[in-house]
Amino acid sequence: MSTTQTSKIEIRKAESSKISSVDFENLSFGAVFTDHLFECDYKNGQWQTPVIKPYAPILMDPSSKVFHYGQAIFEGMKAYKDENNDVWLFRPDENYKRFNNSAVRMAMPEVPEDIFLEGLNELLKIDQEWIQRGNGASMYIRPFMIATGPGVIANPSDEYKFMILLSPAKSYYGGEVKVIIAEHYSRAANGGIGAAKAAGNYAAQFYPTNLANKDGFQQVIWTDDATHTKLEEAGTMNVFFRINDTLLTAPTSERILDGITRKSLIAMAEKEGLNVEVRPVIVSELVEAAKNGSLKEIFGAGTAAVISVIKGFSYKGEYYEMTPIENSYASFLKEKLTSLQNKLSEDTYGWTVKVQ
């Protein structure tokens, strides 16, 4: 294993690559990781020297506070390779900003920009051969931070570990999905951590999602905690509804994640002249639209899936099937966004950043 030093990052190269053993045509999302990872520890009130090293398990104290009090946050990002083999990130500044917003909410230290963004840039350059070309291919990026300080007293940790993992990816969800609208369970509550990408938010979704799976549904559309009348997110995605020719989505709040794909789709839709309303969407409004035929589309939006079409929903034991339509907003916007991300069309928004 060779070791080099950039101005700020120690780099330890793997002796050999495992890339030749990977079937890039049959990837399971988030199951395969590249040869290297990025790691930086926070100790004694300051960030230590970051390192890029071979991907391997980490050794932790059993009393590390992440195991007992759940101080853990993450981000989801993607990198793309264009026809010239250049690598591009999509709105990384937004991910960086949201990551530190999550850190503040979870009483964790903010990660400096030179560690987060420069570390990611160097890691992508080292493992760039893993990034495949073509629409639908990408490198999924998972920055995360966990509390590593030992001890089981219930207070914030004084030590943390920030890491970045890379995983080559294709599409996250295959095909269309059926959802059930939550009548009892909620993703988040006012005053809680719903707007943070905290690990516990996702753990809390698993049980109600498992119940939905047993009834033949792939995901849950979450409703507000107080009244269960407001539609909020779909599974791990923001959600959009098209009623007649108006695209609706809920506003961000303490309960709803400020999705980067979500805000990008809103901007693109408005630029393309589509009528977009960011406002509370009520369950009864959706049901009535489904009954009278004005509900044209429902789709989820997120980094992993980009856009996932919802083919039908269930509420209070009644199932409402969506009628497939030509020239859907979902397919139109997905093509626009993925073409931009893959540098197949001009980026007039200034969202793509070259890795160099």
Side-chain angles (χ1 to χ4, degrees), residues 317-342:
E318 188 167 353
Y319 179 69
Y320 302 88
E321 181 86 16
M322 304 293 298
T323 301
I325 61 173
E326 295 183 2
N327 303 316
S328 69
Y329 286 1
S331 60
F332 173 73
L333 292 171
K334 183 173 185 177
E335 192 279 330
K336 285 280 184 183
L337 183 56
T338 56
S339 291
L340 184 153
Q341 290 171 329
N342 285 276

Side-chain angles (χ1 to χ4, degrees), residues 51-337:
V51 59
I52 291 174
K53 64 182 186 179
Y55 187 98
I58 57 176
L59 182 65
M60 292 179 61
D61 193 301
S63 71
S64 295
K65 293 199 173 185
V66 65
F67 300 137
H68 304 274
Y69 302 112
Q71 277 185 291
I73 61 173
F74 69 94
E75 267 300 320
M77 311 169 62
K78 281 184 177 179
Y80 306 84
K81 183 175 284 185
D82 67 15
E83 295 176 345
N84 299 317
N85 285 326
D86 291 324
V87 177
W88 298 83
L89 288 163
F90 180 72
R91 307 191 76 174
D93 55 323
E94 292 288 342
N95 290 101
Y96 170 68
K97 180 172 66 176
R98 189 172 66 181
F99 188 87
N100 278 338
N101 288 341
S102 297
V104 169
R105 181 61 182 85
M106 297 298 289
M108 304 170 84
E110 295 182 64
V111 178
E113 185 173 356
D114 60 339
I115 291 177
F116 189 108
L117 294 177
E118 292 180 24
L120 173 57
N121 193 79
E122 289 299 319
L123 182 61
L124 285 168
K125 287 196 298 185
I126 289 172
D127 280 344
Q128 62 183 296
E129 289 186 12
W130 287 75
I131 308 174
Q132 303 297 292
R133 291 197 306 268
N135 206 344
S138 64
M139 178 66 77
Y140 183 75
I141 303 163
R142 173 53 62 91
F144 68 99
M145 180 164 54
I146 56 176
T148 54
V152 294
I153 185 172
N155 60 14
S157 176
D158 57 3
E159 296 182 4
Y160 297 87
K161 186 181 292 291
F162 170 66
M163 303 183 77
I164 305 175
L165 310 181
L166 303 180
S167 179
K170 283 185 169 290
S171 297
Y172 186 35
Y173 296 115
E176 299 172 328
V177 298
K178 296 192 298 181
V179 301
I180 188 168
I181 294 177
E183 299 175 47
H184 172 71
Y185 296 102
S186 295
R187 177 187 174 275
N190 285 329
I193 58 173
K197 280 190 77 72
N201 287 343
Y202 297 80
Q205 294 183 30
F206 293 157
Y207 175 69
T209 301
N210 284 346
L211 296 180
N213 294 162
K214 291 177 182 178
D215 290 333
F217 299 93
Q218 287 74 48
Q219 293 291 342
V220 177
I221 292 186
W222 307 104
T223 50
D224 69 288
D225 63 301
T227 67
H228 293 288
T229 61
K230 298 175 183 177
L231 298 159
E232 302 208 317
E233 294 193 13
T236 58
M237 302 175 290
N238 295 114
V239 63
F240 288 81
F241 310 92
R242 177 185 172 187
I243 296 180
N244 290 318
D245 288 332
T246 299
L247 195 59
L248 307 172
T249 193
T252 56
S253 67
E254 290 181 302
R255 303 186 308 272
I256 299 177
L257 190 71
D258 186 12
I260 294 163
T261 303
R262 170 191 174 276
K263 67 176 66 177
S264 302
L265 291 175
I266 291 172
M268 295 187 100
E270 290 177 338
K271 187 171 183 179
E272 293 296 327
L274 302 182
N275 185 30
V276 181
E277 293 183 9
V278 179
R279 63 167 176 80
V281 184
I282 309 303
V283 177
S284 59
E285 176 184 9
L286 187 72
V287 171
E288 178 60 28
K291 289 180 177 179
N292 65 29
S294 60
L295 178 62
K296 306 300 183 184
E297 300 178 66
I298 309 174
F299 56 89
T303 298
V306 184
I307 285 180
S308 183
V309 174
I310 294 171
K311 67 178 296 184
F313 70 92
S314 176
Y315 182 65
K316 291 189 179 297
E318 188 167 353
Y319 179 69
Y320 302 88
E321 181 86 16
M322 304 293 298
T323 301
I325 61 173
E326 295 183 2
N327 303 316
S328 69
Y329 286 1
S331 60
F332 173 73
L333 292 171
K334 183 173 185 177
E335 192 279 330
K336 285 280 184 183
L337 183 56

Side-chain angles (χ1 to χ4, degrees), residues 1 13-19 35-36 54:
M1 180 172 64
K13 290 284 190 71
E15 293 180 357
S16 61
S17 175
K18 57 180 183 275
I19 192 170
D35 292 322
H36 300 88

Side-chain angles (χ1 to χ4, degrees), residues 3-14:
T3 301
T4 59
Q5 183 84 38
T6 67
S7 59
K8 297 180 180 179
I9 304 171
E10 180 182 335
I11 298 175
R12 306 175 196 161
K13 290 284 190 71

